[in-house]
Amino acid sequence: MTWQPSTPRAIFSSLDAGVFMRPCRILLLLSLPWAGAQGQGRDDGQWTMPGKNYASTRYSTLTAITAANVARLRPVWSFSTGVLGGHEGQPLVVDGTMYVVTPFPNVLYAFDLAQEGYPLKWKYRPDVSATSVGIACCDAINRGAFYTGGKIVYNLLDGHTVAVDAVTGKELWKTQIADMTRGETTPMAPFVVKDRVIVGPSGGEFGIHGWAKALDLATGRLIWTAYNAGPDSAVLAGAAFKPFYDKGPELALKTWEGDAWQTGGVPVWGWLSYDPELDLLYFGTGNAAPYNAEQRPGDNKWASSVLARRPEDGALVWAYQFTPHENWDYDANAEMILVDLTIQGRLRKTLVHFDKNGFAYTLDRVTGEVLVAEPFTTVTWAKRVDRASGRPVVDTTRLTGASRGNVRDICPSLEGGKTPVAPAAYSPRTGLFYVATNNLCMDFEASAAAHIAGTPYIGASTPYHAGPGGHMGAFIAWDARVGRKVWEIREPYPVWSGSVATAGDVVFYGTLDGWFKAADARSGKVLWKFKVGSGVVGCPITYRGPDGKQYVAIYAGIGGDWFLLSGDVRSDDPADVRPPADFAPNLARHTSQGGIVWIFGL
């Protein structure tokens, strides 16, 4: 059976190649590419923002690399960043220059793609407090930069946002946005809409009071702050706020007991999207704190939610909570992909989100209504999502809390059915979404936690084990119109890489054991792979070089949660002989830390 574009709901199944079925030129600020809700339109060959376009489709219309010739890809250039931390995020390519941001100490490189050997144009080394390394929850990572109006804008780990001149490397402004004494750090990639730079913090594990902020692009001046929990006045929920399911005032206050919202976490550290026609900014929020859910009765809005705000003033227009009173550290910081899809015969403006909780959601992005919600990996904590109420139907035997002791076999684990670190891609040619997934479950034993500012506020022990089938990850294609998996490539370890889809019908992703792979976007057949030297936790991009040829780039450099879980992956430290986690005892045999930027071409 072959995939037929004229029958978009057809399901491909094959046992070949390990595939298994499972039920600019410099742009001015105002000319940043929307490229339509589908991410279509003429491709300028550049990569100016994390998700490729405002819709966050991570889709390129470049066609030189195809399923027919991708096997001829070869490495054409590599660069060692000299940094060991987890290389998340992605490079940018603008006007013949590649921009690379490292993990702490957050060095910014500019490479000239028009010259032989891609020589360095300039290197910006910011002043970043080393204290941030000890405060950052899950490795001293950085998720990348945003280009606009001649500026490279990115966050430093220690709570600052900087703007750097894209031509000279000169620092234009630097603004403190976060407070490390409260446990706030800032590894996220900023997002620029009009003249607003949108930023947020990590720190859910420290009991911060999560927020999003907007800075002025020209000066770095703070324009607005919107909290994600607390009174309407702080959440910026005024007369325009009309959620589809929840009614009444003070929702983000009344759904917390007492003043628990003040230390309830709810950070913003993931990916953002924007619909210019609706003038709505979309982003997800992180976990509620502490992990011991008995210390914070109620739904705990707006933790583990998607929020739609006006970028001009931060006003909240609607919100939807994926996991009310979340018990399992199911952050909702993963990307919100904006596409127009036909759902039950009607064309809808939709938002597609693959949540840590294991459900894939297709929402109406105008109102927040749930149109489709189906599991994309093994889910045991809930039976289904009720469309009428928008709420999950929870399996009460999987609820956690200090009084419940050790609750076993909760799927997915708190690493998520999909990590928010790894953004999915969408191809309008196939109508499919391409998603890195995890097949991990956990036991969860909660304990009482005390809040001390700037220290961990967790209260849980959560050992993992492989889910059904024994493999710990997979790369999948998903039909969000009906909520169905189309194909699957199983991987021995969790898949922690972002993806990119192209008009050549090729999709790229990386693996924790150090492979960079290309698959046929229609069939899921692996067409090419290359060993990149360290586990991939970054996101691939594709671009057109000054020579007119198409290239693909990726960071190698294992880290993030996997620095904590893999054991001995830091070979420069003779004292680092940490044992690996029981569920992945051999991962460190396949990879060590060390950042490399790779570029591949035909």
Side-chain angles (χ1 to χ4, degrees):
M1 177 180 181
T2 56
W3 178 268
Q4 299 294 326
S6 60
T7 57
R9 296 183 183 178
I11 303 299
F12 178 90
S13 98
S14 173
L15 297 181
D16 292 338
V19 180
F20 298 86
M21 274 299 302
R22 283 279 184 255
C24 190
R25 316 267 184 264
I26 294 180
L27 304 174
L28 296 176
L29 172 63
L30 295 180
S31 65
L32 281 170
W34 163 244
Q38 308 294 340
Q40 297 183 76
R42 182 180 178 276
D43 198 319
D44 61 8
Q46 306 190 107
W47 198 284
T48 63
M49 63 181 77
K52 174 58 175 171
N53 46 47
Y54 275 146
S56 293
T57 61
R58 299 191 61 84
Y59 172 75
S60 170
T61 61
L62 298 180
T63 58
I65 297 173
T66 68
N69 65 23
V70 69
R72 302 205 310 266
L73 271 187
R74 59 183 179 85
V76 298
W77 183 81
S78 63
F79 174 79
S80 173
T81 66
V83 179
L84 293 181
H87 283 60
E88 296 182 2
Q90 57 287 301
L92 302 179
V93 174
V94 184
D95 197 31
T97 302
M98 175 174 282
Y99 299 94
V100 169
V101 178
T102 75
F104 177 88
N106 303 141
V107 178
L108 173 61
Y109 293 92
F111 297 101
D112 188 348
L113 300 179
Q115 302 298 320
E116 182 181 7
Y118 304 162
L120 184 67
K121 285 186 171 182
W122 50 258
K123 176 180 178 180
Y124 167 70
R125 182 185 283 275
D127 180 17
V128 190
S129 172
T131 303
S132 60
V133 177
I135 295 173
C137 156
C138 313
D139 196 13
I141 59 89
N142 183 282
R143 298 195 173 98
F146 196 110
Y147 169 84
T148 186
K151 299 179 178 71
I152 300 293
V153 184
Y154 73 106
N155 286 328
L156 310 179
L157 187 63
D158 67 356
H160 290 83
T161 304
V162 295
V164 178
D165 186 286
V167 175
T168 67
K170 178 184 177 182
E171 181 181 294
L172 300 174
W173 53 256
K174 180 179 180 182
T175 300
Q176 182 175 347
I177 57 171
D179 185 349
M180 288 195 297
T181 66
R182 298 179 181 177
E184 297 175 348
T185 53
T186 44
M188 74 163 287
F191 192 79
V192 182
V193 177
K194 301 176 183 177
D195 61 351
R196 301 289 193 259
V197 179
I198 313 299
V199 292
S202 293
E205 281 68 34
F206 290 79
I208 68 168
H209 185 197
W211 45 263
K213 295 180 179 180
L215 309 178
D216 177 69
L217 176 64
T219 66
R221 176 179 58 89
L222 178 65
I223 297 175
W224 55 256
T225 299
Y227 289 93
N228 303 318
D232 283 350
S233 58
V235 176
L236 305 186
F241 182 47
K242 297 179 181 179
F244 189 86
Y245 297 101
D246 301 282
K247 308 300 179 184
E250 306 292 359
L251 290 170
L253 180 67
K254 294 178 180 178
T255 56
W256 298 80
E257 186 174 89
D259 62 357
W261 55 273
Q262 296 184 14
T263 56
V266 202
V268 179
W269 52 259
W271 315 98
L272 292 79
S273 305
Y274 173 64
D275 185 331
E277 296 175 0
L278 300 175
D279 192 30
L280 286 179
L281 173 76
Y282 305 92
F283 60 84
T285 61
N287 63 284
Y291 287 12
N292 178 23
E294 292 175 346
Q295 292 182 234
R296 44 177 176 81
D299 275 359
N300 306 145
K301 299 185 185 305
W302 292 102
S304 301
S305 303
V306 54
L307 278 61
R309 294 189 180 274
R310 298 288 183 205
E312 183 69 21
D313 58 7
L316 188 61
V317 174
W318 62 260
Y320 169 72
Q321 190 170 46
F322 297 105
T323 315
H325 186 54
E326 70 90 6
N327 278 227
W328 310 274
D329 186 35
Y330 288 157
D331 308 77
N333 298 97
E335 66 287 348
M336 311 291 165
I337 304 175
L338 312 183
V339 296
D340 297 340
L341 299 176
T342 299
I343 309 293
Q344 296 182 342
R346 177 184 169 191
L347 185 65
R348 306 290 291 263
K349 293 180 179 295
T350 73
L351 176 158
V352 177
H353 171 78
F354 297 87
D355 199 74
K356 236 183 168 187
N357 71 15
F359 286 94
Y361 295 82
T362 305
L363 305 182
D364 185 311
R365 69 175 182 271
V366 180
T367 65
E369 178 188 5
V370 176
L371 305 176
V372 180
E374 297 292 339
F376 63 90
T377 189
T378 301
V379 173
T380 63
W381 69 274
K383 300 173 183 177
R384 59 186 176 87
V385 175
D386 177 58
R387 283 274 310 283
S389 66
R391 298 178 69 90
V393 179
V394 176
D395 182 342
T396 58
T397 66
R398 296 316 203 281
L399 288 172
T400 67
S403 70
R404 293 177 173 266
N406 190 17
V407 183
R408 298 186 180 278
D409 205 30
I410 298 168
C411 309
S413 79
L414 60 77
E415 300 296 344
K418 170 192 172 299
T419 174
V421 169
Y426 169 74
S427 170
R429 286 177 53 83
T430 64
L432 300 178
F433 295 78
Y434 301 94
V435 193
T437 70
N438 305 318
N439 182 36
L440 288 176
C441 303
M442 66 180 172
D443 300 336
F444 196 115
E445 186 168 11
S447 58
H451 183 262
I452 302 172
T455 64
Y457 185 45
I458 297 176
S461 173
T462 59
Y464 307 154
H465 58 273
H471 62 290
M472 288 185 279
F475 187 72
I476 70 170
W478 183 263
D479 186 344
R481 291 164 291 196
V482 294
R484 184 180 302 162
K485 190 185 300 183
V486 176
W487 53 252
E488 176 181 72
I489 304 168
R490 291 183 175 181
E491 297 288 351
Y493 298 105
V495 185
W496 217 253
S497 150
S499 57
V500 64
T502 75
D505 288 342
V506 179
V507 60
F508 293 90
Y509 72 101
T511 69
L512 283 182
D513 51 351
W515 290 99
F516 185 42
K517 297 185 179 183
D520 187 298
R522 298 181 182 275
S523 70
K525 181 180 180 181
V526 175
L527 303 172
W528 170 88
K529 62 181 181 179
F530 183 87
K531 192 75 166 177
V532 290
S534 185
V536 179
V537 295
C539 309
I541 69 166
T542 188
Y543 65 92
R544 183 188 298 114
D547 59 2
K549 298 179 180 179
Q550 183 181 355
Y551 295 92
V552 182
I554 185 69
Y555 294 155
I558 196 169
D561 286 7
W562 298 100
F563 170 69
L564 307 174
L565 296 169
S566 299
D568 180 17
V569 293
R570 181 168 178 170
S571 300
D572 71 317
D573 184 355
D576 183 20
V577 289
R578 296 168 294 114
D582 291 344
F583 70 95
N586 298 318
L587 180 55
R589 294 187 178 186
H590 299 280
T591 181
S592 291
Q593 285 192 294
I596 307 173
V597 187
W598 289 94
I599 297 178
F600 298 90
L602 294 174

